[in-house]
């Protein structure tokens, strides 16, 4: 996350780039880094990885839904505070993630149904005020008995 922020700082401060920047929030990054990134980027997103907690536990047990959702909650809360004027700002208020946040998930890896995928997306839109949920189709790149396309 620190390297991503450094890259965006170079673009914004050294090269005065004022165009659109979509930055990934890395699950497990400190709240301070997420906040710093949010004032530099136009939009932030978090990779949800898999639609269901069960799929995440089965296929990516080293990741947790809690660490994935934490930055999403922080981004939502900070955007709401920024929008309502909460906090101690004087003068012109900087915008926090002005283009909102989005999420991505891989579908088809854990056998989730279309209903489960759409339900998760709907909950994400509602709970985190997302602007968009992106989907990537699962593509098997190795043999594993837990993956749907393996023998």
């Amino acid at each position: 996350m620190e390297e991503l922020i450094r890259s965006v700082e170079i673009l914004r401060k050294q090269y005065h780039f004022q165009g659109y920047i979509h930055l990934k929030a890395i699950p497990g990054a400190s709240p301070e880094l997420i906040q710093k990134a949010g004032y530099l980027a136009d939009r932030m997103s978090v990779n949800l990885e898999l639609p269901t907690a069960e799929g995440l536990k089965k296929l990516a047990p080293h990741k947790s839904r809690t660490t994935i959702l934490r930055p999403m909650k922080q981004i939502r809360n900070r955007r709401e505070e920024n929008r309502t004027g909460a906090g101690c700002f004087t003068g012109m208020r900087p915008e926090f993630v002005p283009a909102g946040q989005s999420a991505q998930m891989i579908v088809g890896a854990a056998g989730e149904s279309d209903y489960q995928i759409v339900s998760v997306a709907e909950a994400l839109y509602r709970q985190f005020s997302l602007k968009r949920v992106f989907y990537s189709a699962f593509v098997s790149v190795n043999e594993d008995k837990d993956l749907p396309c393996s023998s």
Side-chain angles (χ1 to χ4, degrees), residues 113-131:
S113 69
D114 290 347
Y115 178 78
Q116 286 174 303
I117 295 166
V118 171
S119 295
V120 168
E122 191 273 330
L124 290 170
Y125 279 114
R126 190 173 12 87
Q127 293 173 3
F128 300 106
S129 302
L130 296 187
K131 298 297 182 183

Side-chain angles (χ1 to χ4, degrees), residues 14 49 63 66 75 85 133 148:
Q14 184 176 339
E49 303 300 343
K63 298 183 179 186
T66 302
I75 293 166
V133 175

Side-chain angles (χ1 to χ4, degrees), residues 76-87:
R76 178 206 58 209
N77 292 345
R78 188 68 197 105
R79 279 181 43 81
E80 288 174 4
E81 289 171 8
N82 193 242
R83 198 171 33 252
T84 61

Side-chain angles (χ1 to χ4, degrees), residues 29-43:
S30 74
E32 295 79 21
L33 289 175
I34 299 294
Q35 181 158 327
K36 188 172 186 178
Y39 284 110
L40 292 168
D42 297 288
R43 176 168 287 172

Side-chain angles (χ1 to χ4, degrees), residues 1 4 24-31 33-34 44-49 56 62-72 74-75 104:
M1 192 79 219
L4 290 171
K24 299 286 184 189
I26 306 299
S30 74
L33 289 175
I34 299 294
M44 289 183 71
S45 62
V46 177
N47 287 336
L48 190 62
E49 303 300 343
L56 189 66
H62 58 287
K63 298 183 179 186
S64 79
R65 191 59 104 212
T66 302
T67 59
I68 291 170
L69 296 179
R70 187 175 296 129
M72 294 176 76
Q74 181 183 351
I75 293 166
Q104 301 81 238

